[in-house]
Amino acid sequence: MGSQTVPKIPVVDFSKEDLKPGTEAWFSTSKQVCNALEEHGCFIVECKDVSSDLHNTIFDEAKQLFDLPLEVKKKNTSEYPFRGYVSDGSYYESLNIEDAASLESTENFTNLMWPDGNGRFCENAHKIASIMGRLNEMAIRMVFESYGVGKYSDTHIGSTDYLLRFSKYTKSEDSVVLPSHIDKSFSTILYQNHVNGLEVQLTDEEWTVYDPSSHSSFIYVAGDVFKAWSNNRIKPCRHRVLKNNNEERYSLGLFAFQKKEIRVPDELVDDEHPLKYKPFDHLDYLMTHLKHIYARRANVDYPIEAHCGIQNL
Ligand SMILES: O=C(O)CCC(=O)C(=O)O
Ligand SMILES: [Fe+2]
């Protein structure tokens, strides 16, 4: 009898020089991305885009951000759920920059937090968001092309709205500081300081710790909106944060949302894959999710199937 091993998160190398559409490297990397997302809903992205200086600076700045007085952090507000300043009152806090691809909204956020300005924060936050956005776009192009719907990539990318989330998990040992969930985004890219804690569920029973190999590693996780768009080909990634040490953990997440109606491409519907979802509006899904939480007064899941699923008999 072989011993049971915890499954590993697939690793995909995005740092190859010739990783350009149309090349052999692009084709084989696209296959790896698709396989990883279909099987596990996530993969580790290795690239060379982040220097160790940028890594250290961005997390120093994240610390300074959360060290600001509570009344300043509370100025970060939003009409949408889980945006603006969020805190559980003990272990978890997050601050969110909406429309994070735009330098102007990063400047607005910076000026809200530091009325006297903080050019360094603004520059680095925008730099890391741009790197994460580029990685997301590459992954989207790879999946769309692999499914034979590459012609939709530009429109999809052009109507993507990014949210950049800074999260802080304070000292706490052996506790789940962010409960198990599936993101309501299309996809999310996460980046962390040297403190592990993120776990992904690769099989029904086991959690695998994300343990990045370098300061230039990211993890890509599929949200349930990606699953719906793909007519159930992509598996959404269930994840949580469990702290098992007393160090402060900081992470950055770039969440991709769609501004246009989402519909399953006709090419992804056939006898083997009958249509599973009606067209829907991504932000409407978020708002309905919020109403659902308020109605139940609990952080209960509102799955995409409940929102726009079609029951095929
Ligand atoms: O901090 C992390 O690594 C995960 C954050 C996360 O899952 C979320 O904000 O949805
Ligand atoms: Fe998440």
Side-chain angles (χ1 to χ4, degrees):
M1 291 283 285
S3 62
Q4 293 254 314
T5 49
V6 176
K8 288 205 169 71
I9 307 171
V11 179
V12 184
D13 182 5
F14 272 37
S15 71
K16 293 181 217 114
E17 293 276 310
D18 57 344
L19 196 55
K20 302 262 157 45
T23 61
E24 193 48 48
W26 177 270
F27 185 67
S28 64
T29 309
S30 303
K31 253 190 153 158
Q32 289 173 33
V33 166
C34 258
N35 288 345
L37 291 177
E38 288 177 357
E39 209 173 317
H40 297 300
C42 64
F43 61 92
I44 295 171
V45 185
E46 298 291 5
C47 68
K48 293 197 182 112
D49 300 14
V50 190
S51 64
S52 64
D53 257 10
L54 179 58
H55 174 95
N56 296 340
T57 312
I58 201 85
F59 289 112
D60 275 355
E61 281 159 2
K63 177 169 170 29
Q64 285 167 29
L65 177 64
F66 286 104
D67 283 348
L68 288 170
L70 184 60
E71 63 272 19
V72 174
K73 292 185 277 192
K74 279 186 169 170
K75 287 197 218 160
N76 179 215
T77 55
S78 171
E79 60 184 294
Y80 293 107
F82 310 116
R83 299 186 178 191
Y85 175 63
V86 179
S87 165
D88 72 354
S90 45
Y91 302 127
Y92 170 79
E93 281 179 278
S94 75
L95 284 150
N96 293 273
I97 306 181
E98 288 181 283
D99 191 16
S102 122
L103 178 60
E104 196 187 338
S105 62
T106 311
E107 280 166 354
N108 291 342
F109 173 84
T110 307
N111 294 335
L112 197 63
M113 296 295 109
W114 290 278
D116 295 333
N118 186 343
R120 207 172 81 127
F121 173 89
C122 184
E123 189 188 317
N124 289 319
H126 191 249
K127 198 184 273 178
I128 197 82
S130 306
I131 292 171
M132 293 161 93
R134 259 200 320 273
L135 296 174
N136 180 58
E137 285 163 19
M138 276 170 81
I140 290 291
R141 285 190 194 285
M142 288 178 180
V143 174
F144 278 41
E145 281 174 26
S146 298
Y147 286 157
V149 293
K151 62 181 179 196
Y152 302 132
S153 315
D154 284 339
T155 323
H156 181 93
I157 289 168
S159 63
T160 299
D161 188 16
Y162 286 114
L163 175 83
L164 182 65
R165 172 173 300 159
F166 289 80
S167 301
K168 175 185 179 184
Y169 305 85
T170 36
K171 300 181 171 91
S172 59
E173 257 181 278
D174 284 327
S175 43
V176 174
V177 280
L178 190 68
S180 153
H181 66 282
I182 287 170
D183 286 351
K184 301 286 168 202
S185 58
F186 198 91
S187 55
T188 305
I189 295 200
L190 295 160
Y191 186 56
Q192 67 175 48
N193 72 341
H194 62 285
V195 182
N196 286 349
L198 176 68
E199 298 186 337
V200 293
Q201 199 172 36
L202 300 183
T203 66
D204 284 348
E205 281 124 50
E206 283 149 319
W207 291 96
T208 303
V209 179
Y210 167 52
D211 184 14
S213 67
S214 88
H215 54 262
S216 199
S217 304
F218 297 81
I219 182 166
Y220 187 100
V221 302
D224 60 0
V225 174
F226 206 168
K227 170 188 165 184
W229 172 87
S230 72
N231 207 18
N232 283 354
R233 286 169 176 79
I234 301 285
K235 182 183 166 202
C237 176
R238 183 165 281 285
H239 54 283
R240 68 180 185 186
V241 177
L242 180 124
K243 280 290 296 305
N244 57 10
N245 57 52
N246 252 333
E247 279 190 275
E248 277 169 357
R249 176 170 186 274
Y250 292 93
S251 75
L252 265 75
L254 190 76
F255 296 75
F257 297 93
Q258 282 298 296
K259 287 186 266 196
K260 285 207 176 123
E261 181 183 72
I262 297 179
R263 52 171 61 237
V264 175
D266 291 345
E267 294 85 342
L268 301 188
V269 181
D270 54 34
D271 289 347
E272 236 181 278
H273 304 91
L275 183 66
K276 296 280 185 202
Y277 302 91
K278 289 177 242 165
F280 65 100
D281 181 272
H282 199 160
L283 291 178
D284 179 46
Y285 174 45
L286 295 185
M287 293 311 273
T288 317
H289 173 225
L290 181 68
K291 284 186 201 139
H292 190 81
I293 289 173
Y294 284 162
R296 301 276 195 96
R297 295 180 191 283
N299 191 2
V300 283
D301 208 17
Y302 175 59
I304 192 78
E305 288 79 5
H307 188 69
C308 56
I310 296 174
Q311 296 296 327
N312 297 105
L313 300 171

